[in-house]
Amino acid sequence: MTNSSVVAVPARPASLASIRVPLWAWALLAFAVFALYFVSQENGALLSASNAQMLHELTHDARHALGVPCH
């Protein structure tokens, strides 16, 4: 009878440099950040006054749902 020994090699964790994030994930992250900005903070800093008021009214309930004071 033959004895065969198996040597267990510990698995090496992946380094952060080897992790690849797809381009669509970065685009989705950018969209989410800008959407959160418009829902929570936009009060005319980027848009004209009339457009900012319309955006404020469209996102008014979302602001309250997120707990962001707007008035």
Side-chain angles (χ1 to χ4, degrees):
M1 195 164 199
T2 310
N3 284 340
S4 62
S5 61
V6 176
V7 178
V9 178
R12 296 177 64 194
S15 68
L16 291 179
S18 66
I19 298 174
R20 302 284 182 228
V21 178
L23 182 59
W24 63 265
W26 288 113
L28 185 63
L29 177 67
F31 175 76
V33 168
F34 285 119
L36 185 61
Y37 168 75
F38 279 121
V39 168
S40 63
Q41 298 297 323
E42 174 59 41
N43 281 320
L46 295 179
L47 301 173
S48 66
S50 63
N51 289 339
Q53 184 63 28
M54 179 195 281
L55 183 63
H56 174 86
E57 292 302 323
L58 288 173
T59 60
H60 189 88
D61 292 335
R63 290 172 187 242
H64 289 297
L66 292 172
V68 177
C70 60
H71 50 93

PDB file of all heavy atoms in Angstrom, residues 27-44:
ATOM      1  N   ALA A  27     -19.995  54.167 -13.564  1.00  0.00           N
ATOM      2  CA  ALA A  27     -21.034  55.047 -14.104  1.00  0.00           C
ATOM      3  C   ALA A  27     -22.264  55.038 -13.207  1.00  0.00           C
ATOM      4  O   ALA A  27     -22.865  56.086 -12.940  1.00  0.00           O
ATOM      5  CB  ALA A  27     -21.400  54.627 -15.521  1.00  0.00           C
ATOM      6  N   LEU A  28     -22.642  53.881 -12.720  1.00  0.00           N
ATOM      7  CA  LEU A  28     -23.783  53.775 -11.807  1.00  0.00           C
ATOM      8  C   LEU A  28     -23.513  54.518 -10.504  1.00  0.00           C
ATOM      9  O   LEU A  28     -24.385  55.204  -9.976  1.00  0.00           O
ATOM     10  CB  LEU A  28     -24.098  52.307 -11.538  1.00  0.00           C
ATOM     11  CG  LEU A  28     -25.332  52.031 -10.694  1.00  0.00           C
ATOM     12  CD1 LEU A  28     -26.584  52.528 -11.402  1.00  0.00           C
ATOM     13  CD2 LEU A  28     -25.438  50.543 -10.417  1.00  0.00           C
ATOM     14  N   LEU A  29     -22.301  54.411  -9.995  1.00  0.00           N
ATOM     15  CA  LEU A  29     -21.931  55.140  -8.781  1.00  0.00           C
ATOM     16  C   LEU A  29     -22.008  56.650  -8.996  1.00  0.00           C
ATOM     17  O   LEU A  29     -22.549  57.377  -8.157  1.00  0.00           O
ATOM     18  CB  LEU A  29     -20.524  54.753  -8.329  1.00  0.00           C
ATOM     19  CG  LEU A  29     -19.988  55.502  -7.120  1.00  0.00           C
ATOM     20  CD1 LEU A  29     -20.782  55.147  -5.866  1.00  0.00           C
ATOM     21  CD2 LEU A  29     -18.522  55.225  -6.925  1.00  0.00           C
ATOM     22  N   ALA A  30     -21.502  57.130 -10.128  1.00  0.00           N
ATOM     23  CA  ALA A  30     -21.559  58.559 -10.428  1.00  0.00           C
ATOM     24  C   ALA A  30     -23.007  59.035 -10.540  1.00  0.00           C
ATOM     25  O   ALA A  30     -23.359  60.095 -10.003  1.00  0.00           O
ATOM     26  CB  ALA A  30     -20.794  58.860 -11.713  1.00  0.00           C
ATOM     27  N   PHE A  31     -23.845  58.258 -11.203  1.00  0.00           N
ATOM     28  CA  PHE A  31     -25.258  58.617 -11.326  1.00  0.00           C
ATOM     29  C   PHE A  31     -25.918  58.675  -9.955  1.00  0.00           C
ATOM     30  O   PHE A  31     -26.692  59.594  -9.668  1.00  0.00           O
ATOM     31  CB  PHE A  31     -25.979  57.610 -12.227  1.00  0.00           C
ATOM     32  CG  PHE A  31     -27.453  57.857 -12.306  1.00  0.00           C
ATOM     33  CD1 PHE A  31     -27.946  58.898 -13.079  1.00  0.00           C
ATOM     34  CD2 PHE A  31     -28.336  57.070 -11.596  1.00  0.00           C
ATOM     35  CE1 PHE A  31     -29.314  59.141 -13.143  1.00  0.00           C
ATOM     36  CE2 PHE A  31     -29.701  57.298 -11.650  1.00  0.00           C
ATOM     37  CZ  PHE A  31     -30.186  58.338 -12.424  1.00  0.00           C
ATOM     38  N   ALA A  32     -25.640  57.715  -9.096  1.00  0.00           N
ATOM     39  CA  ALA A  32     -26.234  57.682  -7.762  1.00  0.00           C
ATOM     40  C   ALA A  32     -25.793  58.885  -6.927  1.00  0.00           C
ATOM     41  O   ALA A  32     -26.603  59.485  -6.206  1.00  0.00           O
ATOM     42  CB  ALA A  32     -25.861  56.383  -7.053  1.00  0.00           C
ATOM     43  N   VAL A  33     -24.538  59.273  -7.029  1.00  0.00           N
ATOM     44  CA  VAL A  33     -24.045  60.433  -6.276  1.00  0.00           C
ATOM     45  C   VAL A  33     -24.736  61.703  -6.754  1.00  0.00           C
ATOM     46  O   VAL A  33     -25.183  62.522  -5.937  1.00  0.00           O
ATOM     47  CB  VAL A  33     -22.507  60.549  -6.405  1.00  0.00           C
ATOM     48  CG1 VAL A  33     -22.009  61.890  -5.900  1.00  0.00           C
ATOM     49  CG2 VAL A  33     -21.840  59.412  -5.649  1.00  0.00           C
ATOM     50  N   PHE A  34     -24.845  61.885  -8.061  1.00  0.00           N
ATOM     51  CA  PHE A  34     -25.507  63.084  -8.572  1.00  0.00           C
ATOM     52  C   PHE A  34     -26.995  63.082  -8.262  1.00  0.00           C
ATOM     53  O   PHE A  34     -27.566  64.129  -7.955  1.00  0.00           O
ATOM     54  CB  PHE A  34     -25.268  63.246 -10.073  1.00  0.00           C
ATOM     55  CG  PHE A  34     -23.889  63.732 -10.395  1.00  0.00           C
ATOM     56  CD1 PHE A  34     -23.045  62.954 -11.166  1.00  0.00           C
ATOM     57  CD2 PHE A  34     -23.424  64.941  -9.910  1.00  0.00           C
ATOM     58  CE1 PHE A  34     -21.761  63.384 -11.453  1.00  0.00           C
ATOM     59  CE2 PHE A  34     -22.143  65.375 -10.194  1.00  0.00           C
ATOM     60  CZ  PHE A  34     -21.307  64.600 -10.957  1.00  0.00           C
ATOM     61  N   ALA A  35     -27.639  61.926  -8.308  1.00  0.00           N
ATOM     62  CA  ALA A  35     -29.066  61.847  -7.962  1.00  0.00           C
ATOM     63  C   ALA A  35     -29.271  62.211  -6.493  1.00  0.00           C
ATOM     64  O   ALA A  35     -30.206  62.950  -6.160  1.00  0.00           O
ATOM     65  CB  ALA A  35     -29.600  60.453  -8.249  1.00  0.00           C
ATOM     66  N   LEU A  36     -28.411  61.712  -5.627  1.00  0.00           N
ATOM     67  CA  LEU A  36     -28.516  62.052  -4.212  1.00  0.00           C
ATOM     68  C   LEU A  36     -28.290  63.545  -3.992  1.00  0.00           C
ATOM     69  O   LEU A  36     -28.974  64.175  -3.184  1.00  0.00           O
ATOM     70  CB  LEU A  36     -27.518  61.241  -3.397  1.00  0.00           C
ATOM     71  CG  LEU A  36     -27.595  61.412  -1.893  1.00  0.00           C
ATOM     72  CD1 LEU A  36     -28.955  60.993  -1.367  1.00  0.00           C
ATOM     73  CD2 LEU A  36     -26.501  60.620  -1.217  1.00  0.00           C
ATOM     74  N   TYR A  37     -27.355  64.134  -4.740  1.00  0.00           N
ATOM     75  CA  TYR A  37     -27.127  65.573  -4.637  1.00  0.00           C
ATOM     76  C   TYR A  37     -28.380  66.352  -5.019  1.00  0.00           C
ATOM     77  O   TYR A  37     -28.808  67.252  -4.299  1.00  0.00           O
ATOM     78  CB  TYR A  37     -25.967  65.997  -5.530  1.00  0.00           C
ATOM     79  CG  TYR A  37     -25.869  67.499  -5.682  1.00  0.00           C
ATOM     80  CD1 TYR A  37     -25.374  68.288  -4.648  1.00  0.00           C
ATOM     81  CD2 TYR A  37     -26.313  68.128  -6.834  1.00  0.00           C
ATOM     82  CE1 TYR A  37     -25.311  69.662  -4.781  1.00  0.00           C
ATOM     83  CE2 TYR A  37     -26.251  69.499  -6.973  1.00  0.00           C
ATOM     84  CZ  TYR A  37     -25.751  70.263  -5.937  1.00  0.00           C
ATOM     85  OH  TYR A  37     -25.697  71.613  -6.062  1.00  0.00           O
ATOM     86  N   PHE A  38     -28.985  66.011  -6.146  1.00  0.00           N
ATOM     87  CA  PHE A  38     -30.157  66.749  -6.602  1.00  0.00           C
ATOM     88  C   PHE A  38     -31.337  66.581  -5.668  1.00  0.00           C
ATOM     89  O   PHE A  38     -32.100  67.517  -5.448  1.00  0.00           O
ATOM     90  CB  PHE A  38     -30.547  66.353  -8.025  1.00  0.00           C
ATOM     91  CG  PHE A  38     -29.715  67.036  -9.063  1.00  0.00           C
ATOM     92  CD1 PHE A  38     -28.963  66.292  -9.949  1.00  0.00           C
ATOM     93  CD2 PHE A  38     -29.691  68.418  -9.161  1.00  0.00           C
ATOM     94  CE1 PHE A  38     -28.189  66.923 -10.908  1.00  0.00           C
ATOM     95  CE2 PHE A  38     -28.924  69.059 -10.113  1.00  0.00           C
ATOM     96  CZ  PHE A  38     -28.166  68.306 -10.986  1.00  0.00           C
ATOM     97  N   VAL A  39     -31.502  65.398  -5.104  1.00  0.00           N
ATOM     98  CA  VAL A  39     -32.625  65.174  -4.200  1.00  0.00           C
ATOM     99  C   VAL A  39     -32.407  65.889  -2.875  1.00  0.00           C
ATOM    100  O   VAL A  39     -33.335  66.434  -2.291  1.00  0.00           O
ATOM    101  CB  VAL A  39     -32.839  63.662  -3.974  1.00  0.00           C
ATOM    102  CG1 VAL A  39     -33.798  63.403  -2.833  1.00  0.00           C
ATOM    103  CG2 VAL A  39     -33.359  63.016  -5.241  1.00  0.00           C
ATOM    104  N   SER A  40     -31.173  65.941  -2.403  1.00  0.00           N
ATOM    105  CA  SER A  40     -30.951  66.461  -1.053  1.00  0.00           C
ATOM    106  C   SER A  40     -30.430  67.890  -0.983  1.00  0.00           C
ATOM    107  O   SER A  40     -30.703  68.579  -0.013  1.00  0.00           O
ATOM    108  CB  SER A  40     -29.979  65.545  -0.310  1.00  0.00           C
ATOM    109  OG  SER A  40     -28.720  65.543  -0.951  1.00  0.00           O
ATOM    110  N   GLN A  41     -29.700  68.368  -1.961  1.00  0.00           N
ATOM    111  CA  GLN A  41     -29.018  69.655  -1.793  1.00  0.00           C
ATOM    112  C   GLN A  41     -29.333  70.723  -2.825  1.00  0.00           C
ATOM    113  O   GLN A  41     -29.130  71.885  -2.556  1.00  0.00           O
ATOM    114  CB  GLN A  41     -27.501  69.439  -1.796  1.00  0.00           C
ATOM    115  CG  GLN A  41     -27.022  68.570  -0.675  1.00  0.00           C
ATOM    116  CD  GLN A  41     -27.273  69.170   0.688  1.00  0.00           C
ATOM    117  OE1 GLN A  41     -27.154  70.369   0.860  1.00  0.00           O
ATOM    118  NE2 GLN A  41     -27.636  68.358   1.645  1.00  0.00           N
ATOM    119  N   GLU A  42     -29.747  70.353  -3.993  1.00  0.00           N
ATOM    120  CA  GLU A  42     -29.905  71.344  -5.070  1.00  0.00           C
ATOM    121  C   GLU A  42     -30.998  72.351  -4.736  1.00  0.00           C
ATOM    122  O   GLU A  42     -32.157  72.010  -4.635  1.00  0.00           O
ATOM    123  CB  GLU A  42     -30.217  70.644  -6.396  1.00  0.00           C
ATOM    124  CG  GLU A  42     -30.533  71.584  -7.535  1.00  0.00           C
ATOM    125  CD  GLU A  42     -29.425  72.551  -7.838  1.00  0.00           C
ATOM    126  OE1 GLU A  42     -28.256  72.171  -7.816  1.00  0.00           O
ATOM    127  OE2 GLU A  42     -29.746  73.708  -8.103  1.00  0.00           O
ATOM    128  N   ASN A  43     -30.598  73.584  -4.549  1.00  0.00           N
ATOM    129  CA  ASN A  43     -31.538  74.678  -4.297  1.00  0.00           C
ATOM    130  C   ASN A  43     -31.191  75.885  -5.151  1.00  0.00           C
ATOM    131  O   ASN A  43     -31.430  77.011  -4.757  1.00  0.00           O
ATOM    132  CB  ASN A  43     -31.534  75.071  -2.821  1.00  0.00           C
ATOM    133  CG  ASN A  43     -32.345  74.110  -1.986  1.00  0.00           C
ATOM    134  OD1 ASN A  43     -33.400  73.673  -2.402  1.00  0.00           O
ATOM    135  ND2 ASN A  43     -31.839  73.780  -0.817  1.00  0.00           N
ATOM    136  N   GLY A  44     -30.590  75.664  -6.303  1.00  0.00           N
ATOM    137  CA  GLY A  44     -30.284  76.755  -7.204  1.00  0.00           C
ATOM    138  C   GLY A  44     -28.804  76.992  -7.414  1.00  0.00           C
ATOM    139  O   GLY A  44     -28.428  77.935  -8.083  1.00  0.00           O
TER     140      GLY A  44
END
